[in-house]
Each structure stands twice: as C-alpha cells, then as structure tokens.
C-alpha cells in the first residue's frame, strides 16, 4: 500500500514539474522569440509565415484587422 502511494505521489510531482516547465518555456518563447517580436512590433504590414510541414502551408497575418489566412 505504501508503494502505491509513493507511485501516485511521484506521478503527481512529475505532472506538476512538466506543467511548470511548459509554462516557463512559453514565457521565454513569448518574450525572447524573434517571431513574437516581429508580430508585436510590425503593426502596419502583413506578416507571412511558411510552415514546411507535409503538406506545407502558408499563414498570412494582418495586424490591422487582426485576422489570419491559412
């Protein structure tokens, strides 16, 4: 019974640490990412992003209208 309690506590701690790591990564990516700086500072021109996935897709973001076209 003690072993089940230890495993449960270990899983809970791992989930909490993983969530904390994802949150910290998101904060750093928001403040230090060149793409985030580009989106926050360019308010007059459209921003075009090409994602090279399979199949590739193109994203065009218009900051004036706050709309994205995928």
């Amino acid at each position: 019974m003690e072993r089940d309690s230890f495993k449960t506590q270990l899983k809970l701690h791992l989930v909490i640490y993983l969530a904390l790591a994802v949150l910290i990564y998101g904060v750093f990516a928001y403040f230090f990412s060149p793409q985030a700086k580009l989106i926050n500072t360019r308010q007059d021109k459209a921003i075009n992003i090409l994602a090279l996935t399979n199949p590739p897709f193109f994203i065009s973001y218009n900051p004036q209208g706050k709309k994205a076209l995928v």
Side-chain angles (χ1 to χ4, degrees):
M1 185 156 169
E2 291 251 347
R3 180 161 273 213
D4 291 336
S5 176
F6 177 72
K7 286 182 182 179
T8 305
Q9 286 182 355
L10 181 64
K11 287 178 187 177
L12 181 63
H13 282 102
L14 288 175
V15 168
I16 290 172
Y17 290 141
L18 179 67
L20 186 61
V22 168
L23 180 68
I24 290 171
Y25 175 77
V27 168
F28 278 118
Y30 179 76
F31 286 113
F32 299 114
S33 169
Q35 290 84 6
K37 288 179 185 178
L38 180 71
I39 291 172
N40 286 333
T41 57
R42 278 181 73 175
Q43 296 296 324
D44 56 343
K45 297 180 183 176
I47 297 168
N48 300 317
I49 300 170
L50 177 64
L52 299 175
T53 59
N54 189 13
F57 63 93
F58 179 74
I59 303 170
S60 179
Y61 175 69
N62 184 359
Q64 292 173 343
K66 294 188 179 179
K67 294 191 178 195
L69 175 69
V70 179

